[in-house]
Amino acid sequence: MLERFYPDVYLESAYEIDYAALYEQGYRGVIFDIDNTLVPHGAPADERSIALFKKLRDIGYESMLLSNNKEPRVRTFNDKVGSRYIYKANKPFPESYRRAVETMGTTPETTLFVGDQLFTDVWGAKKAGIRTYLVKPIHPKEEIQIVLKRYLEKIVLFFYKRNQRKGLLEDD
């Protein structure tokens, strides 16, 4: 039952993913959450996030920001990184993920999703058939509703890691 929330890959940071190798494997689009995935919650785009989106463009990727935030937050971040975006995405419902894939001109099989939350980011992407990368939150300061979800995430991640150690999950 908990497997529906398991990420395909769990890493420290969105910035350590080998996007070039994944491109060679046939991936062509990357969908990102913003807050605590790319920058601390509410922070503007920084040099590292701007450089990441430039790198992705140079490799040949299409990119999309997918956020449950309102447009001013998402637009302001996007103005610096130069991607496309969907705000008020209503994650974890898969419709916005599918719209992102369609907008990028990719398929679920050639698209990656990178986010920091299991119950919105990962679960929604999995329901849309997209490969998921869960990253650790950048900063501990979060809204109260997210703090509460983090306690439940710890339970899911405990079983995810245990199954991974036992060899019950595929290594990516």
Side-chain angles (χ1 to χ4, degrees), residues 38-49:
L38 296 169
V39 293
H41 186 82
D46 57 13
E47 288 181 22
R48 187 166 70 156
S49 59

Side-chain angles (χ1 to χ4, degrees), residues 31-140:
I31 304 169
F32 289 97
D33 175 54
I34 300 171
D35 287 323
N36 260 340
T37 297
L38 296 169
V39 293
H41 186 82
D46 57 13
E47 288 181 22
R48 187 166 70 156
S49 59
I50 294 166
L52 173 61
F53 280 83
K54 181 187 181 317
K55 174 183 169 182
L56 292 171
R57 281 190 297 278
D58 290 348
I59 292 171
Y61 276 105
E62 295 292 325
S63 67
M64 177 73 67
L65 299 170
L66 189 66
S67 176
N68 284 346
N69 275 306
K70 295 177 183 172
E71 187 176 19
R73 162 68 179 135
V74 181
R75 182 177 15 90
T76 301
F77 184 89
N78 188 61
D79 286 347
K80 301 283 185 179
V81 300
S83 184
R84 291 183 239 176
Y85 64 89
I86 297 172
Y87 62 95
K88 288 188 179 178
N90 209 19
K91 297 182 286 183
F93 296 103
E95 291 79 14
S96 291
Y97 295 85
R98 292 184 186 123
R99 195 167 108 220
V101 165
E102 184 179 317
T103 301
M104 290 189 299
T106 60
T107 66
E109 297 78 21
T110 62
T111 303
L112 308 167
F113 182 87
V114 182
D116 70 300
Q117 293 188 54
L118 287 176
F119 302 127
T120 52
D121 297 332
V122 169
W123 190 28
K126 287 179 73 87
K127 289 192 289 186
I130 298 169
R131 180 181 172 105
T132 59
Y133 281 74
L134 176 68
V135 297
K136 293 184 178 176
I138 290 176
H139 194 275

Side-chain angles (χ1 to χ4, degrees), residues 6-11 22 25 27 126 131-133 160 164 169-172:
Y6 289 176
D8 294 307
V9 181
Y10 182 36
L11 298 171
L22 290 164
Q25 293 173 26
Y27 291 96
K126 287 179 73 87
R131 180 181 172 105
T132 59
Y133 281 74
Y160 167 80
Q164 204 172 36
L169 300 176
E170 291 182 27
D171 287 331
D172 287 314

